[in-house]
Amino acid sequence: MYYAGPGIIVAVLFWIVLALVVAGGVVFSVLAVKGGRWAAIAAGAFLVVAVVMVGLPHPQGPAVLGAVIALGAVAISAFGGSPAVRTVLALATRQVEGTAGGILIEPRDATAPGQTREVLRGGLTIGILERIGTTVSLLAGVPEAIAVIIAIKGVGRFSELGASEAQERFIIGTLVSLGWAALCGALAHLVW
């Protein structure tokens, strides 16, 4: 429903501000991939502002703009989730990252002191796919698909979860990643 008179100005301003907020979220998400913690925090702030904006009563906008904003939410999910996960993991753990993006852990037996092995490699790619799948499933109104995504990830990582360090990182990373994707999915679902 479009408003007449001053209402149309409010509607246009709302959608312009929302588009700018989502664009800012996309920009900071992309910057966060290389830029570090401050960009990830800024991307998260833009994402929260956008979700609050669409969660409150607001004027209906053009469908094409809703689709563009939904695509922006998917981009924020894909790019911003990994820096958000790294930021939370850095605050929660003191683990060193390996060359393939995994974590380095000491072996449990005392026969090989000083030797480390890398577990949970490929987390960046898996996380991007997990977040895109979660965001798109929420956008499509099929949240049950998230259970399938979690099951696939859990089965694929099961053999690497023997070390407590890997378990801790897996749980924290998965929860942060899914929470980020859920916010992006809510944004996408509410605007389109």
Side-chain angles (χ1 to χ4, degrees):
M1 170 177 192
Y2 291 98
Y3 297 97
I8 206 160
I9 294 170
V10 170
V12 168
L13 286 175
F14 173 84
W15 286 97
I16 288 172
V17 170
L18 179 60
L20 290 172
V21 168
V22 171
V26 171
V27 168
F28 279 107
S29 292
V30 171
L31 290 175
V33 172
K34 297 280 185 192
R37 203 175 289 177
W38 69 269
I41 292 168
F46 275 95
L47 176 59
V48 168
V49 169
V51 170
V52 168
M53 284 180 70
V54 298
L56 297 173
H58 62 276
Q60 185 176 350
V64 69
L65 188 55
V68 169
I69 291 172
L71 285 173
V74 174
I76 293 170
S77 178
F79 292 112
S82 294
V85 168
R86 282 195 313 269
T87 299
V88 172
L89 283 171
L91 295 172
T93 65
R94 298 285 182 236
Q95 296 165 340
V96 178
E97 214 173 88
T99 58
I103 60 168
L104 300 175
I105 59 170
E106 296 285 333
R108 290 193 177 201
D109 63 16
T111 59
Q115 291 184 346
T116 59
R117 66 183 176 102
E118 189 172 359
V119 297
L120 300 178
R121 295 171 303 172
L124 175 65
T125 303
I126 292 168
I128 289 171
L129 295 173
E130 167 192 348
R131 285 185 299 279
I132 289 173
T134 300
T135 302
V136 170
S137 69
L138 291 173
L139 172 61
V142 188
E144 300 85 10
I146 298 169
V148 175
I149 293 167
I150 294 170
I152 291 169
K153 183 177 181 182
V155 168
R157 290 293 199 190
F158 183 76
S159 64
E160 293 183 278
L161 296 177
S164 61
E165 300 93 340
Q167 293 167 3
E168 179 181 328
R169 184 176 172 109
F170 179 81
I171 291 168
I172 293 170
T174 298
L175 290 176
V176 171
S177 184
L178 289 172
W180 184 272
L183 278 175
C184 293
L187 172 61
H189 185 74
L190 289 170
V191 297
W192 197 32

